[in-house]
Amino acid sequence: MLQIKNFSVEIENRKILQNITIDFSVKAGRLFVLFGPNGSGKSTILGGIMGFSKYKVSGDIILNNEKINELSIDERVKKGLAYMYQNPPKLKGITLENIREEIPPNEQNSDAKDLSIENLQQRDINVGFSGGETKRTELYTLSLLRNTKIFLFDEPDSGVDVDNLKIVARYIKRMLVTNNATGVIITHNGEILKYLDAERSAVIYNGKIVCEGDPKTVWNCIRKEGYKSCVNCKEVEKND
């Protein structure tokens, strides 16, 4: 279970989010989708939940009935949170092979082949990688974290073509099932939902949650009318 209550975030004394309350809880193997246009505050929510240093957070972050605001990032990961960056950092001098060497043999997996990153094993992570290669590599490193129960996916569909999108979506689904975990995925174009099972959704617009409802119903509304229509959308309420 993951919730935020009266959740506000400032960055460099600028208020980005104010008094947001969302329950992200869904069934194991399923996803909560947070829709929103660029600049709406989607990534800020996930970054605040993870405790990244540039975010000044107030309100409650509740993980499995425990308030985790005071925990370090490492402690949050140990509690079962994992985060997929939208734009992960370039790690010069570190390869996937280096990371795998730190994993006990009995905990290693063979997912490099499934993610088509076998040819990237000895290259510096994300240095000179394409958008698809970066996303697939990020998923692989996430899969090495044990005991993850909630995955936070920051726009995994950005910057990838159709073929890579299918690979990314298939692997996300596999991670959730294998770990008996749930996921929170943020997206503005929604294309990845063609290949994933989403249970619940909400829309953030100008830093506020403006509607909640069935993911397919919400996304159909957004595609037809645009994000501004969500501010006073009654169709979602009817189909909720």
Side-chain angles (χ1 to χ4, degrees):
M1 181 188 78
L2 176 65
Q3 297 176 298
I4 53 176
K5 295 182 178 180
N6 301 316
F7 183 81
S8 299
V9 180
E10 290 184 11
I11 300 177
E12 296 179 347
N13 297 317
R14 184 166 62 96
K15 186 83 72 175
I16 306 298
L17 304 172
Q18 188 165 4
N19 296 328
I20 289 178
T21 295
I22 312 177
D23 183 352
F24 294 108
S25 304
V26 292
K27 297 174 184 175
R30 304 293 294 278
L31 286 159
F32 185 104
V33 184
L34 184 60
F35 295 105
N38 290 330
S40 59
K42 302 187 303 297
S43 295
T44 300
I45 288 180
L46 297 194
I49 289 172
M50 284 305 302
F52 295 151
S53 60
K54 73 175 182 178
Y55 301 114
K56 182 181 178 182
V57 173
S58 60
D60 297 336
I61 306 167
I62 302 169
L63 177 64
N64 295 327
N65 297 313
E66 178 186 356
K67 186 176 176 180
I68 63 170
N69 294 56
E70 302 305 318
L71 298 183
S72 67
I73 295 174
D74 286 348
E75 289 171 325
R76 296 181 199 206
V77 171
K78 290 176 182 177
K79 291 285 185 180
L81 280 179
Y83 176 83
M84 180 182 181
Y85 287 88
Q86 179 182 353
N87 298 301
K90 296 176 173 60
L91 304 178
K92 294 184 178 180
I94 301 176
T95 68
L96 290 174
E97 203 167 67
N98 296 149
I99 293 176
R100 195 170 57 189
E101 288 172 356
E102 300 299 318
I103 306 296
N106 64 316
E107 294 185 9
Q108 292 184 13
N109 58 45
S110 58
D111 293 347
K113 182 176 181 180
D114 296 333
L115 287 166
S116 301
I117 57 171
E118 293 176 297
N119 62 322
L120 304 176
Q121 297 289 296
Q122 297 180 342
R123 290 176 56 183
D124 290 356
I125 293 176
N126 299 329
V127 177
F129 286 12
S130 68
E133 289 171 339
T134 299
K135 298 293 186 184
R136 299 197 312 269
T137 299
E138 182 78 351
L139 283 175
Y140 179 75
T141 57
L142 272 188
S143 74
L144 299 176
L145 295 172
R146 300 306 172 193
N147 303 315
T148 299
K149 292 304 175 188
I150 299 177
F151 290 94
L152 307 178
F153 301 104
D154 190 348
E155 298 209 33
D157 49 359
S158 67
V160 297
D161 58 29
V162 173
D163 290 337
N164 276 294
L165 188 63
K166 291 178 180 178
I167 294 172
V168 167
R170 183 174 65 239
Y171 198 76
I172 285 175
K173 184 183 294 187
R174 175 176 165 180
M175 288 170 66
L176 296 179
V177 172
T178 300
N179 288 275
N180 196 35
T182 63
V184 178
I185 188 169
I186 64 175
T187 180
H188 74 272
N189 65 40
E191 290 301 308
I192 197 168
L193 299 183
K194 294 177 180 178
Y195 313 105
L196 288 172
D197 297 321
E199 184 174 312
R200 297 173 52 228
S201 70
V203 177
I204 184 170
Y205 189 82
N206 286 339
K208 298 178 180 179
I209 300 299
V210 293
C211 74
E212 298 184 48
D214 171 75
K216 290 183 179 178
T217 303
V218 172
W219 181 234
N220 285 335
C221 180
I222 292 169
R223 287 193 298 177
K224 292 177 182 177
E225 306 293 338
Y227 276 107
K228 286 186 179 180
S229 67
C230 296
V231 176
N232 298 304
C233 184
K234 301 300 181 183
E235 186 67 21
V236 172
E237 293 175 10
K238 293 178 192 175
N239 287 278
D240 226 352

